[in-house]
Amino acid sequence: AFVESDPMVLIHLGLNMIPLSSHVARSIREAVWCHQNGLTWGEARERIASRFGHLQPCNAVPNHGFTILGWLYGQDFGDRLCKAVNCGYDTDCTGATLGSVLGILDGTAGISDAWRRPVGTKIVTHKFTRGFTPPATLEELTDRTVALAEKAAADKPHVAFGPAGELPED
């Protein structure tokens, strides 16, 4: 997602990293099929829930499908998140998973003020969090993360950071 923005390309790349017959892969492919075949969001949600639903709402299988439904059926950041979360089950994880992908793809420019303003950029930790100095803002967290990534890659000549990237031929 750092070098490719097409949802279908990214979904197919991800599917190539997991077993074809896995339940997660089947749930994701079902979500894609629903979208490509013109099912409404509600019909697609019901199809995923009835085929892959589980008594445990945190089960990853339907939640992967719900994340993909939000991504493909939504029109913008907020609509995508709402469509994923409104599928039910493990809503905080589907929202967080999709939100992180959308953040990688579009950065803060892809998040409207209606979503950014109430959340802000300040980081607040739990009152019992101790033993380190937390970053004060998201910008500081980003700077720290980049510094750690650069430090981790410093002795790895095959890893490089730059302004742009490319997908490998394969």
Side-chain angles (χ1 to χ4, degrees):
F2 289 102
V3 295
E4 173 60 54
S5 61
D6 183 282
M8 293 310 303
V9 170
L10 292 169
I11 290 167
H12 287 290
L13 285 170
L15 285 171
N16 283 325
M17 301 297 144
I18 61 176
L20 178 67
S21 61
S22 73
H23 292 294
V24 168
R26 290 176 51 223
S27 178
I28 292 169
R29 286 195 316 270
E30 189 72 26
V32 170
W33 183 92
C34 290
H35 186 259
Q36 290 177 336
N37 285 279
L39 275 69
T40 67
W41 168 84
E43 292 167 334
R45 187 262 175 219
E46 184 58 31
R47 193 170 170 112
I48 298 292
S50 64
R51 291 181 181 217
F52 303 102
H54 197 276
L55 293 174
Q56 169 50 265
C58 294
N59 184 281
V61 176
N63 290 301
H64 276 75
F66 295 156
T67 300
I68 299 301
L69 289 182
W71 193 6
L72 296 179
Y73 280 87
Q75 300 303 307
D76 57 29
F77 179 84
D79 190 44
R80 288 179 177 129
L81 284 185
C82 286
K83 281 189 168 54
V85 169
N86 287 336
C87 285
Y89 285 65
D90 195 7
T91 59
D92 60 325
C93 287
T94 55
T97 300
L98 183 53
S100 64
V101 171
L102 297 175
I104 291 168
L105 289 170
D106 300 321
T108 56
I111 305 171
S112 71
D113 284 342
W115 285 88
R116 280 190 290 164
R117 198 173 26 256
V119 176
T121 62
K122 185 177 176 185
I123 294 178
V124 179
T125 58
H126 190 277
K127 64 181 179 179
F128 297 127
T129 303
R130 294 188 177 101
F132 78 107
T133 304
T137 64
L138 291 176
E139 291 79 10
E140 185 181 344
L141 174 62
T142 300
D143 292 343
R144 286 187 187 190
T145 303
V146 168
L148 285 172
E150 290 171 343
K151 182 177 179 181
D155 63 344
K156 297 174 179 66
H158 61 282
V159 176
F161 298 97
E166 296 178 6
L167 288 174
E169 290 291 323
D170 64 353

